[in-house]
Amino acid sequence: MRPASTGLATAFFRLYLLDTLSTGPGRPASLLARVSAERLPFASGAFARALQSLLEGGHLVPAPEGAVALTALGAAERMEERERWTAVVPSVIRLLGDIAPRAAAVVVAEPAPPPYRARVADAYADRVLVAHVRERVAAARDGGRPFCVVLVAIVIQHANEASRRAMVHRAIRASLGGASTLFGGEVSAYRYGDDGVALVAPCAGDAERLATLARARIDELVRSMSSNVRAFRGARWRISAGAALWSVDLSTTGGLLRAAEDALSTDAEVRTAA
């Protein structure tokens, strides 16, 4: 079997993922960058196949902020994989002769991401949101009704990545399509990043009420999916929301959205710690 063959490469990356994640959750991109620095002659795409097989087998589960984490089943599989490789490696070394061990590659660790920040101005779908908020800001400055912006983050964990994505997309579509029913007749809903919803509505001063309502309604949507769709059972989720109210002191589009993002990050931290 050639060293670059798909089977051997996938088997190696399974061991690598199981062993590396035994110390805590990690982001696949960071793990791939770390092992790529070793310059191993393995087939391209094997890392993704190994990751997918471990997720589908229940050995790994999605974790917050795009990371993956080891399950109890994965911990047991790690021990079995180590036993297999322990039996194989001495024979390989005997076939190849004396091999000097190579120093581990040094990889600069990337900074940890914030609890949740979709970077409104950079997300393709959020351009519509920014344009709408800009119009509301201009109207409010001209004496129109004050308004608020509520940002909602939908974080779902599921053993199957495809099911997790499907749950997020269903929750977003239901929120956008039924905004007037779920959140009120004067509420406009927009997509926020890859896994969130933004609500814009007239507010007399109680923006937190809309944030609480949005959190509860979307939680109900996800709970209903988890109960009624067999493929979605076993999911865990966390719904966070942050609100910002337009005022004379907070009168720019960017400032208002940043305030809402800060409130969302604070709420996500609180719910993660709870």
Side-chain angles (χ1 to χ4, degrees):
M1 181 179 293
R2 295 184 298 109
S5 66
T6 301
L8 178 59
T10 303
F12 171 80
F13 283 124
R14 282 176 61 92
L15 173 66
Y16 169 74
L17 286 167
L18 291 171
D19 190 68
T20 304
L21 294 172
S22 64
T23 59
R27 302 174 69 190
S30 301
L31 300 177
L32 179 58
R34 191 184 309 171
V35 74
S36 295
E38 299 282 354
R39 301 184 181 279
L40 301 174
F42 286 145
S44 60
F47 181 88
R49 285 189 288 272
L51 178 63
Q52 185 64 30
S53 69
L54 291 172
L55 286 167
E56 292 177 350
H59 302 104
L60 302 179
V61 293
E65 313 309 331
V68 290
L70 199 66
T71 64
L73 181 62
E77 180 68 11
R78 170 178 173 268
M79 298 305 299
E80 294 180 7
E81 286 282 356
R82 288 177 63 88
E83 291 177 1
R84 297 188 190 104
W85 283 88
T86 300
V88 169
V89 168
S91 297
V92 175
I93 293 177
R94 186 176 65 253
L95 291 172
L96 298 178
D98 295 333
I99 302 175
R102 182 171 57 181
V106 178
V107 179
V108 179
E110 63 177 289
Y116 188 89
R117 186 172 291 273
R119 293 173 293 276
V120 173
D122 297 334
Y124 71 96
D126 296 332
R127 296 174 184 171
V128 179
L129 168 64
V130 172
H132 180 74
V133 173
R134 186 175 293 118
E135 292 178 358
R136 298 297 292 266
V137 166
R141 285 175 176 171
D142 292 338
R145 300 172 66 185
F147 69 100
C148 62
V149 176
V150 173
L151 303 179
V152 185
I154 306 170
V155 178
I156 297 178
Q157 299 178 13
H158 195 280
N160 185 286
E161 175 63 15
S163 296
R164 185 198 70 80
R165 291 197 301 266
M167 293 184 72
V168 172
H169 293 160
R170 282 197 183 191
I172 292 175
R173 286 198 302 268
S175 299
L176 300 183
S180 60
T181 302
L182 293 171
F183 312 118
E186 294 184 297
V187 176
S188 301
Y190 299 88
R191 184 158 185 161
Y192 175 65
D194 294 329
D195 51 2
V197 175
L199 307 178
V200 182
C203 290
D206 189 11
E208 290 299 328
R209 185 192 65 81
L210 180 58
T212 301
L213 177 64
R215 196 182 298 116
R217 290 287 186 264
I218 295 179
D219 180 83
E220 291 172 1
L221 289 173
V222 178
R223 189 178 304 279
S224 176
M225 285 189 289
S226 178
S227 301
N228 298 327
V229 181
R230 179 178 300 178
F232 296 161
R233 291 175 184 170
R236 300 175 60 188
W237 61 91
R238 184 182 72 249
I239 311 299
S240 306
L245 178 66
W246 181 90
S247 65
V248 175
D249 296 330
L250 196 61
S251 59
T252 64
T253 302
L256 187 63
L257 291 172
R258 282 192 296 271
E261 283 191 323
D262 290 341
L264 175 59
S265 295
T266 300
D267 189 56
E269 289 177 345
V270 170
R271 296 185 182 279
T272 300

